[in-house]
Amino acid sequence: MQALSQSTSTVLMIRPASFSFNEETAVTNEYQKRVDLSHDNVLKKVLEEFDEAVEILRDNDIDVTVIDDTKEPVKPDAIFPNNWVSMHHDGTIVLYAMKTKNRRSERRSDIIEQLGNRFEIYKIHDNAIEWEDRDLAMEGTGSIVFDHQNRIAYASISPRTEKEAVLYYCNLLQYKPCIFTSYTSSGNQQYHTNVVMSVSSDFVLIGLESIKDKAEAQQVKRTILESNKKLISLTSKQLEKNFCGNVLQLKNKYGQSKLVMSETALSGFTEDQLELIQNYTDIVSVPISLIEKIGGGSARCMIAEIFFPLKSVL
């Protein structure tokens, strides 16, 4: 089977039109916080953060496709597209089932059409509604963290990540599942796997202590080590206070590795961890503190990777 690249230089980001505290998703995401700002002020500041993040990525020679959210229907979490779509090396798009009803309209056919103008898309796999009709969720690369090089799919079970769906998509994409359950310090299931861990070409950042079942934790650790990647352990505090697990390795157009994270995450790593990480990759940080606070997600959640080949230009 063909070896796959772990990181890409092309990504999709959605510029929000109605970003706000999402009452429905807050039921399963304890990281969302209310702020004492008007809706207009929130959107103004969030757009400033979003635009600066895009500018920083582009300054690092990462190819960012920005598509505007539509005002209707209102989509408070449209800024997090990685939950509803993944775009794979063989030109396959997969659309995913969302837990809450007010996020399902984020799946937009016009976005796929726009991507198809530039990239080679060979297949669209969409049975999201069938899963949603059964109240079963699988929220994209929030729910599954892919090790593309070793074709491993890590998934932490939660109300947004159903085991049946994980196994289905692993079979569809021909990835080996590594399934576990991780918890917050307050005892709730972590809402997404990509809050707990991030897989890069040479290392894995993971909050192993959040996996309370010792056998599961050992299984995850063994899987990572057998994949020949360096394991860098994160504390629960680093996961929950700083989003240190919610980071994403990209590469720029020159093939240079860039680990994208928020300034909040950067401030949460120890000096030893940063030194170790920088042995493998440059770090690119973006200031998105209000997005993190209200949305309960960080830099990784804002980025949908595009592994498609570019269309030939005649």
Side-chain angles (χ1 to χ4, degrees):
M1 191 172 289
Q2 181 183 3
L4 303 178
S5 58
Q6 182 61 34
S7 56
T8 180
S9 60
T10 55
V11 301
L12 168 68
M13 297 178 69
I14 304 298
R15 193 171 191 267
S18 307
F19 184 90
S20 63
F21 183 89
N22 189 336
E23 299 280 356
E24 292 186 22
T25 59
V27 174
T28 54
N29 181 353
E30 64 185 70
Y31 301 134
Q32 294 176 224
K33 307 294 185 215
R34 299 181 187 277
V35 296
D36 188 19
L37 292 171
S38 69
H39 175 74
D40 288 346
N41 280 337
V42 165
L43 186 58
K44 178 177 180 293
K45 292 178 183 295
V46 163
L47 287 173
E48 290 171 356
E49 289 186 349
F50 178 89
D51 291 340
E52 185 172 359
V54 170
E55 182 179 0
I56 289 170
L57 293 181
R58 288 175 171 166
D59 286 346
N60 279 272
D61 298 302
I62 293 164
D63 183 347
V64 185
T65 294
V66 175
I67 295 178
D68 288 331
D69 180 26
T70 53
K71 290 186 177 181
E72 296 294 336
V74 172
K75 300 177 288 298
D77 284 327
I79 200 171
F80 302 133
N82 78 305
N83 297 146
W84 64 265
V85 64
S86 63
M87 295 168 275
H88 297 266
H89 304 70
D90 64 354
T92 297
I93 280 185
V94 182
L95 304 182
Y96 296 95
M98 309 296 283
K99 177 64 177 176
T100 57
K101 291 182 179 179
N102 71 356
R103 292 205 65 186
R104 295 171 186 175
S105 56
E106 292 175 30
R107 294 191 303 263
R108 289 167 46 196
S109 59
D110 65 299
I111 291 178
I112 296 171
E113 289 172 7
Q114 289 182 63
L115 293 172
N117 291 331
R118 188 175 177 215
F119 300 97
E120 296 286 1
I121 300 173
Y122 300 115
K123 185 189 303 181
I124 300 174
H125 186 87
D126 179 13
N127 65 348
I129 293 175
E130 295 172 30
W131 290 103
E132 289 166 353
D133 285 345
R134 298 172 58 201
D135 195 27
L136 296 177
M138 231 294 297
E139 296 191 338
T141 54
S143 291
I144 286 183
V145 173
F146 290 111
D147 176 347
H148 294 298
Q149 293 162 305
N150 295 285
R151 300 191 80 96
I152 299 168
Y154 295 93
S156 181
I157 299 304
S158 75
R160 302 198 195 183
T161 307
E162 299 282 355
K163 184 176 181 179
E164 181 183 348
V166 172
L167 294 174
Y168 171 84
Y169 285 103
C170 284
N171 182 64
L172 174 74
L173 297 168
Q174 295 185 293
Y175 280 64
K176 177 184 175 183
C178 181
I179 296 173
F180 55 95
T181 305
S182 54
Y183 295 87
T184 67
S185 298
S186 58
N188 297 317
Q189 290 177 334
Q190 290 279 7
Y191 79 99
H192 273 160
T193 312
N194 72 5
V195 175
V196 178
M197 66 182 297
S198 174
V199 175
S200 296
S201 298
D202 300 293
F203 61 92
V204 175
L205 296 165
I206 184 168
L208 278 177
E209 68 179 39
S210 71
I211 306 172
K212 300 308 180 184
D213 185 290
K214 292 182 179 179
E216 285 187 351
Q218 281 299 115
Q219 172 210 8
V220 174
K221 182 177 181 180
R222 183 168 57 252
T223 301
I224 293 169
L225 296 178
E226 289 176 352
S227 73
N228 294 316
K229 295 181 189 284
K230 177 72 175 178
L231 191 158
I232 303 175
S233 287
L234 303 174
T235 65
S236 291
K237 181 180 178 181
Q238 288 178 304
L239 299 184
E240 298 170 23
K241 302 298 183 184
N242 294 91
F243 290 106
C244 290
N246 197 243
V247 305
L248 178 66
Q249 183 191 47
L250 299 173
K251 61 184 177 183
N252 66 13
K253 65 181 181 181
Y254 303 110
Q256 298 166 325
S257 175
K258 306 287 181 177
L259 189 68
V260 181
M261 64 180 68
S262 68
E263 289 184 351
T264 306
L266 181 61
S267 69
F269 285 104
T270 67
E271 290 185 8
D272 287 345
Q273 288 172 329
L274 289 175
E275 183 178 354
L276 185 54
I277 290 168
Q278 288 170 314
N279 286 335
Y280 301 107
T281 182
D282 297 333
I283 291 174
V284 175
S285 64
V286 293
I288 53 168
S289 59
L290 190 61
I291 293 171
E292 289 175 313
K293 188 170 188 177
I294 298 173
S298 189
R300 196 278 169 266
C301 297
M302 295 171 61
I303 299 170
E305 301 141 284
I306 303 172
F307 287 98
F308 301 146
L310 283 165
K311 282 189 170 177
S312 300
V313 178
L314 299 178

